[in-house]
Amino acid sequence: MNMFKFNNWSLSIKLLVPVIVLMLALIVFSILALRNLDAIEKKLVSSLYDTSYKADYLVLNADRDLYQAMLAQTKLLTLQNEQDIQQQVADYNENTTQVSDRIQAARAVMEQHTDIFTAYKDQASGKNTFELWDEFNASYTAWKQEFNANTRTLANAANAEQQFDIARERIEQIGNIVDRYSTDSLNHNAALKQQMYVLTYVQLAAAAIISAIIVFFIVMNVRRRTRDTLDLINRTERFDLVYVDKFTPYLSQKDEFAVIIQALGEARKQFRLTFSKVIEESANLQTKIQIVEHEMNTLDTGIHDISSTTEQLSAGMEETAASAQEMNATSNEIEAAVHSVASKAQEGARAAEQLTGRATELTQQFKASYEESDRTYKIASENLIQALEESKSVEQIRSLVTSIIDIAAQTNLLSLNASIEAARAGDAGRGFAVVASEISKLAEDSKNAADRINQITGVVTRSVDNLSSHSNNLLQLFDTNIWKDYRMMLNSAEHYATSAQEIDAIAGDLSATSEELLASVENVVRTIHEISVAADEGAQGTGVIAAKADDIVQQTNRVSEQLDRSKQDIEGLAESVSKFKLS
C-alpha cells in the first residue's frame, strides 16, 4: 500500500502526474470542442438553411401568387357574372399585392448577404441575383400595366404574355440561385467541419508530442539534478567534505535544486573550515601537552635531585650532630684534664680546621644547590605558566563548536523555510519537502556531532583546569615552603661556617696560652652545644624538606597522569574529527 502514498512517489512521477492530467484535460476539451463544433455547425447550417429557406419560400410563394394573379386575369377577361368578376378582381389584387410584398421581403433577406448573393450568377444568363431582381421588377411592372382590372381590358396581350414569362423565368432563376447557395453552403460547412476535425486532431497530436518532448527533457533534467543533490547529501552524510567540481555550475543557477546545493555547499564550506581549525588546534594542543609533559618530566627529575640532595644534606647534618656530640665529650675531658690541654688543643685545632673546611664546603655546596634549584624553579615555573596559558586555547574549541551548532541551527532553519515554501507550492513542492527533511536530518546529525565534540572539549577543559590547579599548588608550595626551608638551611650553613671559624680561633688561642685554656674550653663547650642544637634542628629541617620533596614528586606524578588523560582525550577528539574528509 506504500506505493499508493503520494509522498512515496519519485519527483519524476510527481511531475508526470500533472502533465498526464493536463493531457487528459486537453483530450477531453478537444472532444468537447469537437462536439461544440458539431453544435455550432448545426446552428450555422440551421441559420444558413433558415436564410435560404426563407428566401426560397418567399420566391416560391411569389411565383405561386404571380401564377394565381395570371389565372385571375384570364378569368376576368371571360367572366360575365358581376359577383364572380368582383371575386376575381379581389383575388387578382390580393395576389399581385402578395407578389410585391414577398418579392420585397425575399430581396430584403438576400440584401442581408449582399456579398454572397452578388457572387452567385445564373448559369444561363450570367446575371447575378440583384440584376435578376431588377429585371423581374421591370417585367412584373410592365405585365401589370398591360391589364386594367376595373375595366377588365388587356392593352397588349402578346406583350403581357411576354412580360409574364420573363418575370416567372427570373423568379425561377432566382430560386435556382437560392438552391445553389443552400447546396454550396452545406458543402462548405461540411468541408469546414472536416477541416476543423483534422486541424483539431493535428493540434492535439502536436501538443501531445511537444508536451511529451518537453516533459521528457524536464524529467531528465529533474532526475539528473535530483541525483546530484542526493549525491552531495550522501557525501556530507559520509563526512566527505572534499570539494567536487561537478557541482560548480550550480553556483550560478537559481532553481530550487541550485539553491539547495548552494546552501549545502556553503554549509560544507563552513564544516571544512571549522573541522580544519579543530584538527589544527588539536594538533597544536597535542604538541603543547607534549611540551608540558616534557617539562613536567624535567621538573620531576629536578625534584628527585633535590630530594637526593636533601637526603645527603640530612646525612651530613646527622654527621655534624654526631661530631658536635663527640666535641662536647672532648670538651668535658678537657675540663677534667687540663694537663693534656696542649695535645687536646692541637687536636681541637685540627678538628676546628676540618670543621671550618667542611662548613665552608657545605656552605658553598648548599649555595650552589640553592642557586641551581632557584634557576631550575624559575625556568620550570615560567614554562609551566606558559604551558597553562597556552592550554587555555582549548576554549577556542568551544567557540568553534558553538559556530558548528549555529551553522546547524541555520541549516535547520533553512530546511524549515524550504518545507514551508514546499507546503505553499502544494503538490508541485512536495518533492522539495523530502529534500528539506534530509537537510534537517543532516543539520541534526551535525548538531549531535558538535555536542559530542563539546563533551570531549569539556573533558579536556576540566583536565586542563585540574592541571592548572595542581600546577599552581605546586608553584605555591615551592614559593612558600621549599624556598623558605632552603633559605633557612643556607642561613644555618653560614652560621655553621661562622661557628667553625670561631672554634678555629679558640683552638689557636688554646695553643697560645694555657691560662686562657679553661675559659676557651668553656666557650668551646657552649659553642659545641649550640652547634649540636643547630645540627639537630638542621637534621629535622632537612627531614621536612625531604618529606615535602616527596609530596612534590607525588603531585608531579598526579599532574603527569592528568596530562596523560588530556592527551588521550585530545587523541580521541582527533580520531573523531579525522572521520571528516577535507581534501
Side-chain angles (χ1 to χ4, degrees):
M1 293 299 292
N2 289 333
M3 65 178 294
F4 295 105
K5 293 182 178 179
F6 183 77
N7 290 333
N8 291 333
W9 295 358
S10 65
L11 185 59
S12 300
I13 295 177
K14 290 180 179 179
L15 290 175
L16 285 175
V17 168
V19 174
I20 294 173
V21 172
L22 290 175
M23 290 300 297
L24 292 176
L26 180 61
I27 294 172
V28 172
F29 290 153
S30 299
I31 294 173
L32 293 176
L34 293 175
R35 290 186 178 180
N36 291 331
L37 183 62
D38 289 338
I40 293 172
E41 188 267 341
K42 290 179 180 179
K43 291 182 179 180
L44 182 60
V45 170
S46 177
S47 176
L48 294 173
Y49 180 74
D50 290 342
T51 301
S52 62
Y53 174 76
K54 185 176 182 180
D56 192 39
Y57 171 78
L58 292 172
V59 169
L60 290 177
N61 280 280
D63 183 57
R64 185 199 64 186
D65 292 336
L66 179 60
Y67 181 75
Q68 292 294 333
M70 181 61 184
L71 290 179
Q73 185 187 79
T74 302
K75 288 180 181 181
L76 286 172
L77 292 174
T78 59
L79 288 174
Q80 298 297 325
N81 190 314
E82 188 65 27
Q83 184 177 0
D84 292 336
I85 290 172
Q86 292 178 358
Q87 178 66 39
Q88 290 302 319
V89 169
D91 290 341
Y92 174 79
N93 291 331
E94 181 183 359
N95 287 320
T96 55
T97 300
Q98 289 180 351
V99 168
S100 297
D101 293 340
R102 286 171 176 164
I103 287 300
Q104 293 299 325
R107 181 164 184 165
V109 171
M110 293 182 180
E111 285 178 348
Q112 295 177 358
H113 306 280
T114 303
D115 53 343
I116 296 176
F117 286 101
T118 301
Y120 278 92
K121 295 183 179 180
D122 181 60
Q123 295 178 351
S125 64
K127 298 177 180 179
N128 61 35
T129 306
F130 298 103
E131 291 175 343
L132 293 174
W133 279 122
D134 293 338
E135 291 183 0
F136 168 79
N137 288 332
S139 298
Y140 176 67
T141 303
W143 173 74
K144 284 176 60 179
Q145 291 176 353
E146 292 292 335
F147 179 71
N148 188 343
N150 294 325
T151 61
R152 293 187 298 153
T153 58
L154 188 61
N156 188 344
N159 186 45
E161 183 178 359
Q162 182 183 4
Q163 294 300 324
F164 178 79
D165 291 338
I166 291 172
R168 290 205 67 187
E169 182 180 3
R170 297 298 178 263
I171 287 179
E172 184 179 355
Q173 290 173 348
I174 292 171
N176 291 335
I177 288 176
V178 172
D179 291 339
R180 284 171 53 202
Y181 165 72
S182 299
T183 303
D184 290 346
S185 296
L186 292 175
N187 293 334
H188 177 72
N189 289 335
L192 183 61
K193 176 183 176 182
Q194 185 64 29
Q195 184 180 359
M196 290 300 295
Y197 270 113
V198 174
L199 182 61
T200 301
Y201 288 134
V202 170
Q203 291 176 347
L204 181 61
I209 293 173
I210 293 173
S211 299
I213 294 174
I214 293 174
V215 168
F216 173 76
F217 284 108
I218 291 176
V219 169
M220 293 303 295
N221 180 265
V222 169
R223 288 171 63 89
R224 178 177 59 82
R225 297 173 82 81
T226 302
R227 286 196 300 268
D228 290 344
T229 303
L230 291 176
D231 180 41
L232 186 59
I233 293 174
N234 291 332
R235 288 174 181 270
T236 306
E237 184 181 9
R238 295 193 301 269
F239 306 119
D240 185 0
L241 302 178
V242 179
Y243 182 80
V244 182
D245 292 333
K246 76 174 184 177
F247 298 106
T248 301
Y250 288 95
L251 300 179
S252 59
Q253 298 170 359
K254 297 182 179 180
D255 65 348
E256 287 77 3
F257 291 101
V259 172
I260 292 172
I261 289 178
Q262 290 170 12
L264 285 174
E266 185 63 24
R268 287 164 58 87
K269 179 181 177 181
Q270 296 298 327
F271 290 160
R272 285 195 299 272
L273 294 176
T274 300
F275 287 114
S276 297
K277 190 67 175 178
V278 170
I279 292 173
E280 180 181 356
E281 293 298 331
S282 298
N284 293 336
L285 187 58
Q286 283 182 323
T287 302
K288 292 175 181 178
I289 289 178
Q290 290 176 355
I291 293 173
V292 172
E293 185 177 14
H294 174 71
E295 295 296 333
M296 290 302 299
N297 291 332
T298 303
L299 178 63
D300 183 70
T301 302
I303 292 173
H304 279 294
D305 293 340
I306 290 174
S307 179
S308 299
T309 302
T310 304
E311 291 177 355
Q312 293 176 1
L313 179 61
S314 177
M317 292 303 295
E318 291 177 355
E319 291 178 358
T320 301
S323 298
Q325 291 176 358
E326 291 177 356
M327 289 175 64
N328 191 18
T330 303
S331 63
N332 292 328
E333 291 177 359
I334 291 173
E335 282 184 318
V338 178
H339 61 276
S340 61
V341 170
S343 61
K344 296 296 181 182
Q346 293 177 356
E347 290 178 1
R350 288 193 297 268
E353 185 179 359
Q354 292 177 357
L355 180 60
T356 301
R358 291 180 60 186
T360 302
E361 182 180 1
L362 178 62
T363 302
Q364 293 175 352
Q365 290 179 353
F366 198 84
K367 282 184 178 180
S369 176
Y370 175 81
E371 293 174 353
E372 181 65 21
S373 298
D374 183 70
R375 185 180 64 83
T376 302
Y377 164 75
K378 289 181 180 179
I379 294 175
S381 177
E382 291 176 354
N383 292 334
L384 185 58
I385 291 173
Q386 182 180 1
L388 291 176
E389 289 296 326
E390 292 177 347
S391 67
K392 294 180 180 179
S393 61
V394 177
E395 293 295 330
Q396 296 179 1
I397 300 177
R398 289 184 177 271
S399 62
L400 295 176
V401 172
T402 304
S403 299
I404 296 174
I405 295 174
D406 291 339
I407 293 172
Q410 293 175 2
T411 305
N412 198 7
L413 180 59
L414 176 62
S415 171
L416 179 59
N417 291 334
S419 300
I420 294 173
E421 293 298 328
R424 290 179 179 174
D427 295 339
R430 293 189 178 181
F432 302 114
V434 177
V435 178
S437 177
E438 293 296 329
I439 294 176
S440 178
K441 185 184 296 181
L442 174 61
E444 188 64 25
D445 294 339
S446 300
K447 181 178 180 299
N448 293 334
D451 290 336
R452 290 195 298 271
I453 295 173
N454 203 7
Q455 293 176 358
I456 295 173
T457 306
V459 175
V460 173
T461 303
R462 289 192 297 272
S463 300
V464 170
D465 292 338
N466 291 332
L467 173 61
S468 176
S469 177
H470 291 304
S471 299
N472 289 328
N473 292 335
L474 177 62
L475 294 176
Q476 185 177 6
L477 176 64
F478 267 94
D479 188 60
T480 56
N481 295 332
I482 294 179
W483 295 132
K484 182 179 179 180
D485 294 336
Y486 259 106
R487 285 190 293 271
M488 182 182 69
M489 292 174 63
L490 181 60
N491 292 332
S492 299
E494 291 175 351
H495 183 67
Y496 299 155
T498 302
S499 300
Q501 290 176 359
E502 292 177 356
I503 293 173
D504 186 56
I506 293 172
D509 291 337
L510 288 175
S511 299
T513 178
S514 59
E515 288 82 4
E516 299 176 354
L517 179 59
L518 183 58
S520 298
V521 169
E522 291 177 352
N523 292 330
V524 169
V525 170
R526 289 194 299 272
T527 301
I528 291 175
H529 178 71
E530 292 175 355
I531 292 173
S532 178
V533 173
D536 291 336
E537 291 177 352
Q540 293 177 358
T542 53
V544 172
I545 292 174
K548 291 184 177 181
D550 291 335
D551 293 337
I552 292 173
V553 170
Q554 294 177 1
Q555 291 180 359
T556 303
N557 292 332
R558 287 196 294 271
V559 171
S560 299
E561 291 176 357
Q562 294 294 333
L563 284 175
D564 291 336
R565 294 193 185 98
S566 299
K567 186 177 180 181
Q568 292 175 0
D569 294 335
I570 294 300
E571 290 175 353
L573 175 61
E575 182 179 358
S576 299
V577 175
S578 65
K579 296 179 181 178
F580 292 88
K581 298 179 181 179
L582 303 179
S583 61

